[in-house]
Amino acid sequence: MSDARQLLGMKGASGTSSIWKLRLQLMKPVTWIPLIWGVLCGAAASGNFHWQTSDVLASLACMLMSGPLLAGFTQTINDYYDREIDAINEPYRPIPSGAIPLWQVKVQIWVLLIAGIAVSYGLDVWAGHSTPVLLLLALGGSFVSFIYSAPPLKLKQNGWLGNYALGASYIALPWWAGQALFGQLSWGIVALTLAYSLAGLGIAVVNDFKSVEGDRKLGLQSLPVVFGIERASWISAGMIDVFQIAMVVALVLLGQHFAAVLLTLLIIPQITFQDIWLLRDPVAFDVKYQASAQPFLVIGMLVTALALGHSGFSSAG
């Protein structure tokens, strides 16, 4: 299990001397999954994705851009700027352990960024965009990733701003990319997915519990540091639940009643697992909570996306 954790970039990983395993650990493949899923949701919401070779290949390229390349860039640059915190919280990570030199980390950052931007431009060409929407999204998302991790702004120093930037990067940005690739990115979808990203803020808080010690020592104002672990767990659960329920209300208003019922049924087990794991001891049970609850959240995202594509809302405005 520790070897698998090492490859996925998870806490509790074993050490390795393989440079390629170290590079993969820096990219944290476990974090790619929400980005890849977000692209799928955007494609579904567009209402224009077809199961034909060109569309499938384009969607896979968009997933490659959003996940391994740009999420990999985000995670690598975050590890670069967080090396002092990781020396306290996760000293086995490649940089604080000294397993990989900093110059190689910098090379990896630039390679992933340039490759991600190149793929985004290629997708704009494929889609025939007069305005390079995918390129602009890639550049904007990469800039947010930079200011999230790097001083002087370092958004992650503020629990609210940093976690919302993270939530929007995991929900809204890949959704926009998938939707823009196959359809029209409307202002209505932008607003709705930004609201949905507030549930992502709650998910991002869960990742802060494991870093409380290092955050407190280095002055980062994560929500568990500011409010304490117990209150932060309630904030996390509340954000996750309230803004998914807001999506239920939106689906009802759009006449998508069956989808609204499905989404409600998917929220119920999340609340149950919050009571079992998150609210009981988020430090000890954060991984168990995410493994048990988040599948229901991401399935709910797809249900919402399909309903939006069916309603015609995605192309309105």
Side-chain angles (χ1 to χ4, degrees):
M1 286 300 296
S2 60
D3 288 342
R5 286 175 176 270
Q6 190 278 328
L7 290 175
L8 292 172
M10 297 172 65
K11 189 175 182 179
S14 61
T16 181
S17 58
S18 168
I19 188 63
W20 296 110
K21 287 183 178 180
L22 290 168
R23 292 189 183 284
L24 194 61
Q25 189 177 4
L26 284 172
M27 294 164 66
K28 293 184 182 177
V30 71
T31 65
W32 304 348
I33 299 170
L35 281 295
I36 291 171
W37 192 263
V39 171
L40 178 65
C41 290
S46 74
N48 292 320
F49 175 84
H50 303 287
W51 287 101
Q52 58 191 31
T53 302
S54 60
D55 282 11
V56 170
L57 291 177
S59 65
L60 290 175
C62 194
M63 292 174 183
L64 172 67
M65 174 196 74
S66 299
L69 297 179
L70 294 183
F73 156 78
T74 298
Q75 296 300 332
T76 305
I77 198 170
N78 185 65
D79 266 28
Y80 176 81
Y81 284 109
D82 272 8
R83 54 192 185 272
E84 293 181 4
I85 298 175
D86 286 343
I88 300 171
N89 294 322
E90 300 177 84
Y92 56 82
R93 296 286 302 163
I95 297 176
S97 68
I100 185 170
L102 287 180
W103 72 267
Q104 289 201 28
V105 178
K106 293 178 182 178
V107 169
Q108 179 165 320
I109 289 170
W110 281 106
V111 168
L112 291 171
L113 175 61
I114 293 169
I117 291 173
V119 172
S120 72
Y121 177 74
L123 289 171
D124 276 320
V125 172
W126 176 84
H129 290 155
S130 55
T131 301
V133 183
L134 275 299
L135 176 62
L136 293 175
L137 288 175
L139 290 171
S142 300
F143 177 71
V144 170
S145 298
F146 177 74
I147 63 173
Y148 173 80
S149 298
L153 293 179
K154 202 174 180 69
L155 296 181
K156 67 182 300 179
Q157 292 182 118
N158 181 291
W160 293 107
L161 286 177
N163 285 328
Y164 184 68
L166 201 60
S169 296
Y170 276 100
I171 294 179
L173 270 175
W175 186 311
W176 297 348
Q179 181 145 354
L181 183 61
F182 296 104
Q184 179 182 352
L185 184 58
S186 66
W187 287 111
I189 281 292
V190 169
L192 200 67
T193 50
L194 285 175
Y196 215 154
S197 296
L198 288 165
L201 186 156
I203 298 168
V205 174
V206 179
N207 295 320
D208 288 337
F209 291 114
K210 69 178 185 296
S211 306
V212 171
E213 181 185 355
D215 291 349
R216 186 177 290 119
K217 286 183 178 179
L218 295 177
L220 269 67
Q221 298 298 301
S222 68
L223 297 191
V225 170
V226 174
F227 293 101
I229 289 173
E230 183 178 356
R231 287 183 179 178
S233 68
W234 280 97
I235 292 172
S236 172
M239 298 294 288
I240 292 169
D241 298 340
V242 166
F243 288 97
Q244 285 186 95
I245 293 170
M247 294 305 109
V248 172
V249 174
L251 291 177
V252 170
L253 293 175
L254 290 170
Q256 299 298 306
H257 300 103
F258 180 65
V261 171
L262 284 180
L263 184 55
T264 301
L265 293 175
L266 289 166
I267 294 171
I268 293 172
Q270 294 178 62
I271 295 174
T272 302
F273 288 123
Q274 286 164 2
D275 181 56
I276 295 173
W277 303 120
L278 181 62
L279 300 178
R280 186 170 301 179
D281 190 341
V283 177
F285 300 137
D286 60 337
V287 175
K288 289 184 178 180
Y289 167 70
Q290 292 187 78
S292 57
Q294 286 194 17
F296 294 97
L297 184 141
V298 297
I299 293 171
M301 286 175 57
L302 184 57
V303 167
T304 304
L306 290 167
L308 291 173
H310 186 263
S311 72
F313 177 77
S314 294
S315 57

